[in-house]
Amino acid sequence: MSRTVRAARLLLSDVAHFSRLAIGRPLYAYQLEPLQAIVDSVLNRRGRAFLLVFPRQSGKNEAVAQLLVYLLNLFQRTGGNAVFGATGDGLGRGVARLEERLENPWNAGRWRKRGRPLRRSLGKAAVVFISTHPQAAARGETAHWLLVIDELQEQDPSYLEAVFEPMRVANNATAVYLGTVKSNSDALWRKKLELELEEARDNVRRVFIVSPEQVAAANPAYGEFLAQKVRQLGRDHPIVASEYYNEPVGGAGNLFDARRLALLRGAHPRQRTPQPGRTYLATLDVAGQDEAATDPLAALANPGRDYTVATIFELLPAAAGDPGPTYLAVDVFVDQGSRHFQDAPGRPRLVDRLLAWLRHWNAAHLVADESGVGAGLVSWLAAQFGTGRVTGFHFAAGHGKAWLGSAFLAVVETGRCRYWSDDPARPGSDQPLSDGWWFFTQAAACAYTLPPEGRFERDLRWGVPAAAQIDTPAGRLPIHDDRLLSAALVAVYDDLFREGRLPTGQGRSAVIRPRDPLEDLEF
């Protein structure tokens, strides 16, 4: 037997040997274990389906790219296709990663590019790349030995079942589903439950969920990265919990459970005046104005209208190791229905009262809602405050509100946003309903939904439901979310600090005694 034949047999005898000796990028044990089960199913025509769930950026696509190169080498004489399905950028990344791994000393210069549909071939074997988007033309292809579906959590399960699953039938091809945990209602989580039932029937492992501890044990640099991510967002932030610790986010529920409400509850009292030497920041959620508000004796035409709410935060600079400053909510300005730029008898226009309150607190900066009617008010405040001291935020622009919800949770989960809690008047008491009580009532009532294929920081929908009400001594009142939204805008400050656009240092003034020019002269 020639040396070349012996080398080929050694390389192709095991995917671990091929990874180390042919590709030159050895896979970790947690990557090899599922690949060996997949190869067994492919070579023995078992037609099994596997789910690979790795923490974000821990090498699942690298493992699958090397698997595809290995199978191309095994089937280059007999032929057949593997089908790789993905959407959007995932398809391009799959092609690029496969090409990189085909450029190994064993295969370089021997593989080919073909189109319509897009494919990369070695000898008679090929990997065919097809979009899994429901509007793409994907029917008619055959998976002879393998079907790969990438980012399963973002796929439409009914479309996969109708279009891609039949590609396996003629050859009893093996299926591999890849993804990162997101929601407990998406296609990935459904596939997990389905395959776990099959595991229970025949005791053959099909679901491979890799923990971040496994990845960090194999790659200490990953452990350092994950520790930084936890410091930045908090261990229980939905992005960290789902994408790194494989804990799904519910498709709907309360955004602020009892644990998060406890994190928000500060031990400091509400304040009415600024303290010397402290730095204060402000946030502003702007509501509409009511025509009836021009008459102080008239009832609001819309008594359920939201309030304009501004919140003052005392800034505590970040300590060593903290991901950012801490924000203590210490006071709030509340107005319902006032005209923004028009006086009413006995009631000055909103902009003047708000500006006076902000100046009373000597607010160093203002982050303000400039959505809709807020644009004019924010522009006016910016002119009064001066250049660089007002930052506008648009809830409706892009994924603004979804991003804000995710960013605010990061501040909450890292213990860096706390609301005063020393005015806890409750319905039924003889005290008026307090601002602090209203804030925590709004937070407790805040609900969220996340589409099955959605990303938390992009597709989160959150807020107090429009129909939410609560019984009070004044009757049944709507809950709203104005105080909560005003507080949530504090998350914008974290971005400003990271970008170096909002220094937190404080200067001190001192009187320096001038030198007497005559003190060294002798008379």
Side-chain angles (χ1 to χ4, degrees), residues 127-177:
V127 177
V128 182
F129 293 89
I130 302 177
S131 172
T132 53
H133 193 284
Q135 295 181 357
R139 298 177 188 271
E141 286 299 323
T142 299
H144 294 93
W145 25 275
L146 187 66
L147 169 69
V148 178
I149 302 295
D150 194 18
E151 300 294 357
L152 181 60
Q153 73 279 0
E154 298 179 1
Q155 307 291 348
D156 180 341
S158 60
Y159 182 73
L160 293 181
E161 185 66 31
V163 176
F164 282 83
E165 283 296 310
M167 297 179 186
R168 303 171 54 201
V169 173
N171 298 278
N172 194 28
T174 296
V176 176
Y177 301 96

Side-chain angles (χ1 to χ4, degrees), residues 69-235:
V69 174
Y70 177 69
L71 293 175
L72 285 172
N73 278 271
L74 286 179
F75 290 103
Q76 61 181 309
R77 292 180 181 274
T78 56
N81 295 335
V83 173
F84 185 103
T87 58
D89 294 341
L91 205 61
R93 288 194 299 269
V95 174
R97 184 66 61 89
L98 180 63
E99 290 180 350
E100 290 172 4
R101 297 301 164 253
L102 280 168
E103 281 298 311
N104 64 74
W106 193 260
N107 301 129
R110 298 197 299 116
W111 60 274
R112 296 290 180 266
K113 297 181 180 182
R114 294 173 59 189
R116 295 185 181 180
L118 190 68
R119 67 182 65 212
R120 299 294 179 264
S121 59
L122 183 67
K124 296 179 180 180
V127 177
V128 182
F129 293 89
I130 302 177
S131 172
T132 53
H133 193 284
Q135 295 181 357
R139 298 177 188 271
E141 286 299 323
T142 299
H144 294 93
W145 25 275
L146 187 66
L147 169 69
V148 178
I149 302 295
D150 194 18
E151 300 294 357
L152 181 60
Q153 73 279 0
E154 298 179 1
Q155 307 291 348
D156 180 341
S158 60
Y159 182 73
L160 293 181
E161 185 66 31
V163 176
F164 282 83
E165 283 296 310
M167 297 179 186
R168 303 171 54 201
V169 173
N171 298 278
N172 194 28
T174 296
V176 176
Y177 301 96
L178 311 173
T180 302
V181 170
K182 288 292 183 64
S183 167
N184 60 7
S185 61
D186 61 20
L188 183 147
W189 206 252
R190 294 181 194 177
K191 182 62 68 175
K192 172 182 176 292
L193 298 177
E194 172 193 323
L195 295 182
E196 285 175 341
L197 288 176
E198 293 190 36
E199 289 180 338
R201 283 194 290 268
D202 60 14
N203 203 32
V204 175
R205 188 176 181 187
R206 292 171 172 82
V207 178
F208 292 85
I209 298 181
V210 176
S211 72
E213 290 81 10
Q214 287 177 273
V215 182
N219 180 8
Y222 188 90
E224 295 173 6
F225 167 82
L226 181 59
Q228 175 59 32
K229 184 64 68 174
V230 170
R231 283 194 296 271
Q232 177 188 350
L233 298 180
R235 165 61 179 83

Side-chain angles (χ1 to χ4, degrees), residues 8 12 54 89 96 109 141 184 225-226 250 254 261 295 306 308 336 365 433 438 441 443 452 475 489 500 515:
L12 298 178
F54 286 22
D89 294 341
E141 286 299 323
N184 60 7
F225 167 82
L226 181 59
N254 289 336
L261 290 174
D295 180 359
D306 278 349
T308 290
Q336 186 183 28
H365 199 90
L433 298 176
W438 269 121
T441 297
L489 286 168
R515 180 174 180 272

Side-chain angles (χ1 to χ4, degrees), residues 194-400:
E194 172 193 323
L195 295 182
E196 285 175 341
L197 288 176
E198 293 190 36
E199 289 180 338
R201 283 194 290 268
D202 60 14
N203 203 32
V204 175
R205 188 176 181 187
R206 292 171 172 82
V207 178
F208 292 85
I209 298 181
V210 176
S211 72
E213 290 81 10
Q214 287 177 273
V215 182
N219 180 8
Y222 188 90
E224 295 173 6
F225 167 82
L226 181 59
Q228 175 59 32
K229 184 64 68 174
V230 170
R231 283 194 296 271
Q232 177 188 350
L233 298 180
R235 165 61 179 83
D236 294 308
H237 188 284
I239 290 177
V240 173
S242 62
E243 297 188 8
Y244 295 94
Y245 285 91
N246 305 319
E247 298 166 0
V249 179
N254 289 336
L255 191 60
F256 297 92
D257 56 16
R259 182 186 60 81
R260 288 189 180 134
L261 290 174
L263 287 172
L264 277 166
R265 198 173 295 279
H268 61 286
R270 181 176 184 172
Q271 300 172 23
R272 301 291 184 175
T273 57
Q275 301 298 308
R278 310 281 178 88
T279 299
Y280 297 98
L281 304 173
T283 59
L284 173 65
D285 177 48
V286 181
Q289 54 194 15
D290 201 295
E291 297 297 332
T294 58
D295 180 359
L297 301 178
L300 286 172
N302 179 10
R305 180 182 298 283
D306 278 349
Y307 293 74
T308 290
V309 177
T311 308
I312 290 292
F313 290 89
E314 180 185 340
L315 176 70
L316 304 182
D322 287 348
T326 295
Y327 312 94
L328 303 182
V330 295
D331 196 21
V332 68
F333 171 98
V334 180
D335 176 89
Q336 186 183 28
S338 292
R339 300 297 298 272
H340 294 175
F341 294 99
Q342 182 176 339
D343 290 331
R347 192 174 190 180
R349 59 184 189 165
L350 174 64
V351 290
D352 291 331
R353 292 184 291 115
L354 180 58
L355 181 62
W357 182 79
L358 292 171
R359 285 177 170 166
H360 163 72
W361 277 101
N362 192 27
H365 199 90
L366 172 67
V367 169
D369 163 26
E370 61 179 0
S371 313
V373 296
L377 191 151
V378 173
S379 177
W380 186 89
L381 287 171
Q384 307 305 311
F385 261 66
T387 305
R389 293 185 60 195
V390 175
T391 298
F393 181 84
H394 203 297
F395 283 98
H399 305 286

Side-chain angles (χ1 to χ4, degrees), residues 1-22 39 43 70 73-74 76-77 106 110:
M1 186 184 298
S2 70
R3 294 180 61 186
T4 302
V5 173
R6 287 199 301 272
R9 286 192 172 183
L10 174 63
L11 287 175
L12 298 178
S13 64
D14 185 79
V15 66
H17 295 327
F18 189 84
S19 171
R20 179 169 56 87
L21 299 175
V39 169
L43 297 184
Y70 177 69
N73 278 271
L74 286 179
Q76 61 181 309
R77 292 180 181 274
W106 193 260
R110 298 197 299 116

